[in-house]
Amino acid sequence: MVSSSHEALHRIFQKDAGLLVRSLQRLLHIPFPEPREIKALDVDLTEIEPIERRCDSLLRVDTDDGNFLFVIESQGRKDEAKRGSWAYYLSYLYEKYHCEPVLIVVTQSAATARWAAKPIQFGLPGWPSLTVRPLVLGPENVPVIADRHVAERDVPLAVFSAITHGRGQGAAAILGALAEALKTIDPEAAGSFAQLTRSGLVDPRAKEIWEELMTVTKYFFDHPLAEQVRAEGRVEDRAEMVLNNLEWRGLDVPPSVRERVTACTDLDQLTVWARRALQVSDATEVFSDDET
């Protein structure tokens, strides 16, 4: 199941595409040229063959020194199957768009970051025919931003920092600094970043802290978007509960069931499905008593 934290890790670059270039220049120390234009592209990489291949985020960055495609992959844990998928993505995109593809892996795990940073090689020992060298953004090179003034200077980076480091004893300071920084930007943008932060946090206590900050911070959390943020969070959690209940019981969950559950925005309906998921013998039976 694709988790909310997985989505948040790469969607932050869709919210502020400039963060991608700043991360390359400041965090990975790559002298990347200033972009003329950045735009998001379709992430579906499926060909005629009946095998679906979809990257997480795909951005095209045009500069005076050339055009680049950035494949941004959110990775929760080590997955050897990605070795082939990532190589496929880059080769396919180069052939389709005729510009340079670049792979960036984002993760909240230091161990996963070290694994992902290892070159992927195909071919003869000592003479690889293809080498993939991912760029990785994770806990070891994404800065911890716990100062409100630092957070105010680059709010998208502060959001990314909170998603990456928002766990343990340091979470309160990081989230507090971000909450203060969000007061300094447009309320609608602040609401959007607040929801993204909430989705990206994996630590239950950190989520509680963020909910408390949203409740007591009056600047934008009294804005109509605030209730939308909270409502979307509740729906997202309940949808995860439905799927987790099915998987916990060892049931196979087909894509059609996942899609219907994650597309549902009715909290009451999701609650009914979550209860049924504890009793059914087949995942599709969670919908069995619904009106057609």
Side-chain angles (χ1 to χ4, degrees):
M1 176 182 177
V2 176
S3 66
S4 57
S5 60
H6 171 103
E7 291 295 291
L9 266 176
H10 67 87
R11 287 187 182 275
I12 180 63
F13 295 98
Q14 296 180 17
K15 293 290 185 183
D16 188 297
L19 176 62
L20 172 67
V21 175
R22 297 196 297 278
S23 296
L24 288 171
Q25 295 172 338
R26 302 175 191 174
L27 307 184
L28 296 174
H29 307 293
I30 295 175
F32 191 79
E34 290 300 317
R36 293 194 312 272
E37 180 182 14
I38 302 177
K39 59 183 178 181
L41 302 179
D42 187 354
V43 300
D44 192 341
L45 309 184
T46 307
E47 296 188 89
I48 296 175
E49 297 294 327
I51 299 176
E52 181 178 337
R53 296 186 184 273
R54 190 179 298 270
C55 62
D56 288 331
S57 284
L58 180 61
L59 300 177
R60 175 168 174 151
V61 181
D62 295 343
T63 78
D64 291 335
D65 295 334
N67 303 328
F68 302 86
L69 292 173
F70 284 91
V71 181
I72 303 174
E73 285 283 283
S74 177
Q75 195 67 27
R77 59 182 181 272
K78 179 179 177 180
D79 181 0
E80 290 299 328
K82 288 294 186 179
R83 291 166 55 85
S85 296
W86 290 341
Y88 170 87
Y89 295 165
L90 300 181
S91 299
Y92 173 82
L93 289 168
Y94 181 79
E95 179 64 22
K96 180 176 181 178
Y97 292 101
H98 301 290
C99 56
E100 300 297 331
V102 180
L103 172 64
I104 296 184
V105 179
V106 290
T107 181
Q108 296 164 314
S109 165
T112 301
R114 290 190 292 271
W115 164 78
K118 295 178 181 178
I120 302 167
Q121 296 184 327
F122 298 97
L124 297 173
W127 195 273
S129 299
L130 176 65
T131 301
V132 177
R133 300 186 63 186
L135 296 169
V136 181
L137 291 169
E140 294 180 347
N141 56 9
V142 174
V144 175
I145 299 179
D147 182 290
R148 60 171 294 183
H149 301 293
V150 177
E152 289 171 4
R153 289 199 288 269
D154 194 335
V155 173
L157 181 59
V159 173
F160 188 41
S161 174
I163 294 172
T164 303
H165 299 286
R167 65 180 72 191
Q169 295 182 347
I174 295 170
L175 296 174
L178 175 59
E180 291 299 314
L182 289 178
K183 297 179 183 180
T184 66
I185 65 175
D186 175 76
E188 291 195 7
S192 180
F193 282 132
Q195 169 62 10
L196 193 64
T197 302
R198 197 247 181 229
S199 298
L201 295 171
V202 295
D203 187 316
R205 178 52 186 152
K207 284 190 175 184
E208 290 178 4
I209 292 171
W210 191 239
E211 293 286 357
E212 291 167 4
L213 287 169
M214 286 196 292
T215 300
V216 301
T217 303
K218 301 299 183 183
Y219 179 78
F220 73 87
F221 293 119
D222 283 339
H223 189 276
L225 274 174
E227 181 53 37
Q228 178 184 341
V229 167
R230 289 189 282 270
E232 289 177 356
R234 290 192 293 269
V235 167
E236 186 178 78
D237 285 346
R238 199 60 51 84
E240 287 189 19
M241 182 184 296
V242 175
L243 299 175
N244 286 340
N245 286 348
L246 292 170
E247 292 173 345
W248 173 70
R249 298 183 59 237
L251 299 178
D252 179 59
V253 183
S256 59
V257 172
R258 292 182 184 276
E259 290 170 6
R260 184 169 174 180
V261 170
T262 56
C264 181
T265 58
D266 186 329
L267 188 62
D268 292 335
Q269 180 64 78
L270 288 167
T271 300
V272 171
W273 290 347
R275 291 170 181 164
R276 287 183 194 161
L278 295 172
Q279 302 173 348
V280 298
S281 57
D282 183 281
T284 59
E285 293 176 2
V286 296
F287 313 126
S288 60
D289 295 331
D290 298 340
E291 294 182 358
T292 58

